[in-house]
């Protein structure tokens, strides 16, 4: 099959980790007889440096025209980088939010899995890590606080900032349907996370999730308050299968979930619209402190490329092969610095890519 992949390497460790994911895609194409072509696009800080804005309209159009988008990471050090002297809507993150919105990528899938080989890197107590976990965080990605009206102004001589949290029932329904569909292919359990004891948007969220749940009698579901969920993730992560939640809660909970997998460098993600199109990126950030040193963990980006093969190209065998190749690299003891433990083999970002490619 011929496919055109738009590639946004981005900032910080982005170029290094995406280069490894492309190495894996090329190896997969070679092995399974496909042809992937890439078009490199600029977004984030690198786009600010070249174009003066984090995302141009032309980049949006070119991303739309591709079969899928593979992304690294964007942004820099928020205290020292000149990008953060710009107005908020000109900063690197604004480009990412605009791209998500323009491509209608409302469903963000963030799988958090504890690999048995990485139990030592898991910061939880041994008896909790021993049970392992395998959850899919389904984060709504184009609504809520991220996209509501906001302003900062003086009211009666007092500086006042307002952010607005809005959800309509259609936005809630489409992500809930996705979550239940995915649960059907997994362990058939949905935990919908909200703050219904305080927020109106959460009360509507609950009502709509209950309506959707009626169409899925085979899936068990529960509601959980977000503060409780934050606790349960460290107390008993094995209880979760699909975690369905709104944009901001999903941002926070997915970082927490990634940390208990041992490293944020392990967490892949897919952002999907209502077609086969998607944007695939690691959940972690641009890690400016280790950028350019060939130290970053490319596994999250490689696993994101596997999700791209599975969700956008319907290439299940190919995606399985990539995931198995990552498993084997970990079983064989290869580790980047973030997941290193005694007796393992420390490798660089590019060496990890080589090892995984050789396993395909
Ligand atoms: C993420 C990131 C982004 C978000 C930032 C970079 C805007 O933290 O993808 O989780 O908050 O969505
Ligand atoms: Mg985040």
């Amino acid at each position: 099959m011929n496919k055109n992949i738009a590639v946004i390497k981005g900032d910080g460790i982005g170029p290094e980790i995406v280069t490894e994911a492309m190495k894996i895609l090329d190896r997969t194409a070679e092995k399974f007889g496909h042809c992937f072509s890439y078009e490199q696009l600029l977004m984030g800080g690198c786009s600010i440096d070249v174009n003066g804005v984090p995302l141009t309209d032309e980049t949006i159009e070119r991303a739309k025209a591709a079969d899928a988008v593979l992304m690294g990471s964007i942004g820099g050090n928020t205290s020292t980088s000149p990008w953060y002297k710009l107005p908020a809507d000109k900063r690197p993150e604004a480009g990412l939010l605009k791209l998500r919105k323009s491509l209608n990528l409302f469903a963000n899938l963030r799988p958090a899995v504890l690999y048995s080989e990485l139990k030592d890197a898991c910061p939880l107590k041994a008896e909790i890590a021993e049970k392992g976990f395998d959850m899919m965080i389904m984060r709504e990605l184009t609504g809520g606080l991220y996209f509501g009206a906001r302003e900062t102004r003086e009211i009666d001589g007092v500086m006042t900032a307002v952010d607005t949290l809005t959800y309509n029932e259609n936005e809630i329904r489409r992500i809930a349907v996705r979550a239940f569909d995915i649960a059907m292919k997994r362990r058939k359990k949905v935990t919908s996370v909200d703050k219904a004891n305080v927020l109106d948007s959460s009360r509507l969220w609950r009502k709509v999730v209950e309506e959707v749940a009626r169409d899925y009698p085979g899936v068990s579901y529960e509601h959980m308050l977000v503060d409780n969920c934050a606790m349960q993730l460290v107390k008993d992560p094995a209880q979760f299968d699909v975690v369905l939640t709104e944009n901001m809660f999903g941002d926070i909970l997915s970082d927490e979930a990634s940390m208990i997998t041992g490293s944020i460098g392990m967490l892949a993600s897919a952002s999907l619209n209502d077609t086969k199109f998607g944007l695939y990126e690691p959940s972690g950030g641009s890690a400016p402190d280790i950028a350019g040193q060939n130290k970053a963990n490319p596994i999250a980006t490689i696993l994101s490329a596997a999700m791209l093969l599975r969700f956008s190209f319907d290439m299940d065998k190919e995606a399985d092969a990539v995931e198995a190749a990552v498993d084997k690299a970990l079983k064989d003891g290869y580790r980047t610095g973030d997941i290193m433990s005694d007796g393992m083999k420390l490798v660089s970002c590019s060496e990890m890519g080589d090892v995984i490619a050789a396993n395909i």
Side-chain angles (χ1 to χ4, degrees):
M1 233 186 260
N2 286 346
K3 294 285 184 188
N4 176 24
I5 304 173
V7 174
I8 299 173
K9 290 189 170 180
D11 309 317
I13 58 171
E16 300 157 54
I17 54 182
V18 172
T19 300
E20 298 319 304
M22 289 166 72
K23 191 185 275 177
I24 302 306
L25 286 171
D26 283 340
R27 173 72 193 123
T28 310
E30 187 191 346
K31 176 94 183 191
F32 290 85
H34 303 299
C35 180
F36 298 148
S37 56
Y38 306 98
E39 184 180 17
Q40 309 254 357
L41 303 177
L42 292 180
M43 189 184 60
C46 55
S47 172
I48 297 175
D49 292 344
V50 175
N51 303 312
V53 289
L55 177 69
T56 64
D57 291 341
E58 193 200 330
T59 302
I60 298 176
E61 288 319 309
R62 285 161 70 180
K64 269 187 190 159
D67 295 310
V69 184
L70 177 69
M71 200 190 117
S73 50
I74 52 122
N77 183 316
T78 49
S79 335
T80 57
S81 162
W83 300 328
Y84 295 92
K85 304 264 185 309
L86 296 166
D89 63 337
K90 297 277 178 328
R91 293 180 192 168
E93 288 72 10
L96 179 58
L97 299 189
K98 187 170 175 192
L99 188 65
R100 287 174 178 168
K101 193 75 171 178
S102 310
L103 301 177
N104 193 28
L105 304 171
F106 65 86
N108 183 217
L109 282 59
R110 297 189 163 181
V113 180
L114 182 59
Y115 285 80
S116 52
E117 295 77 25
L118 294 187
K119 282 189 177 145
D120 288 344
C122 171
L124 302 178
K125 280 192 183 148
E127 62 262 33
I128 301 175
E130 210 38 58
K131 285 165 73 186
F133 58 83
D134 176 353
M135 72 186 87
M136 178 68 88
I137 300 195
M138 296 277 307
R139 168 187 176 193
E140 200 291 326
L141 203 60
T142 52
L145 276 171
Y146 278 67
F147 294 96
R150 66 176 106 257
E151 67 167 347
T152 306
R153 67 185 170 106
E154 216 176 280
I155 301 180
D156 298 333
V158 182
M159 284 307 288
T160 307
V162 182
D163 293 284
T164 325
L165 201 183
T166 309
Y167 270 108
N168 70 41
E169 57 179 313
N170 299 331
E171 291 170 314
I172 302 169
R173 190 167 293 109
R174 64 183 181 177
I175 183 79
V177 166
R178 271 293 169 89
F180 279 84
D181 281 345
I182 285 177
M184 291 287 287
K185 297 193 190 140
R186 295 176 47 101
R187 301 195 309 279
K188 300 192 171 56
K189 179 177 175 192
V190 172
T191 304
S192 174
V193 176
D194 62 37
K195 189 70 185 171
N197 53 349
V198 178
L199 302 175
D200 259 34
S201 56
S202 284
R203 288 188 272 269
L204 180 63
W205 185 278
R206 248 181 215 217
K207 181 169 170 284
V208 175
V209 169
E210 266 161 27
E211 286 165 16
V212 171
R214 273 183 225 130
D215 294 334
Y216 296 83
V219 177
S220 69
Y221 79 99
E222 62 183 350
H223 302 289
M224 189 178 280
L225 295 173
V226 61
D227 45 354
N228 183 26
C229 182
M231 284 198 309
Q232 295 299 328
L233 274 173
V234 291
K235 196 172 154 229
D236 178 20
Q239 70 182 286
F240 295 110
D241 179 17
V242 174
V243 176
L244 163 64
T245 192
E246 63 92 56
N247 204 345
M248 175 69 109
F249 298 159
D251 179 44
I252 299 168
L253 294 175
S254 62
D255 265 28
E256 188 186 356
S258 74
M259 201 52 238
I260 58 172
T261 66
S263 167
I264 192 148
M266 298 296 299
L267 208 75
S269 95
S271 304
L272 309 173
N273 65 14
D274 43 19
T275 70
K276 286 269 160 208
F277 184 84
L279 178 147
Y280 301 82
E281 57 170 325
S283 292
S286 59
D289 52 321
I290 57 162
Q293 299 172 32
N294 198 16
K295 274 186 185 166
N297 183 349
I299 291 180
T301 320
I302 291 169
L303 292 173
S304 302
M307 293 182 89
L308 181 158
L309 295 170
R310 195 182 299 286
F311 291 107
S312 283
F313 297 173
D314 284 322
M315 294 181 183
D316 284 335
K317 272 195 324 290
E318 292 81 343
D320 289 345
V322 173
E323 288 167 3
V326 169
D327 272 346
K328 178 158 172 14
L330 294 172
K331 284 211 172 67
D332 292 345
Y334 295 100
R335 301 283 188 274
T336 42
D338 56 320
I339 49 174
M340 184 59 191
S341 58
D342 284 351
M344 299 294 129
K345 294 169 228 167
L346 181 66
V347 289
S348 66
C349 178
S350 58
E351 284 165 343
M352 183 61 102
D354 290 340
V355 167
I356 295 170
N359 288 342
I360 294 176

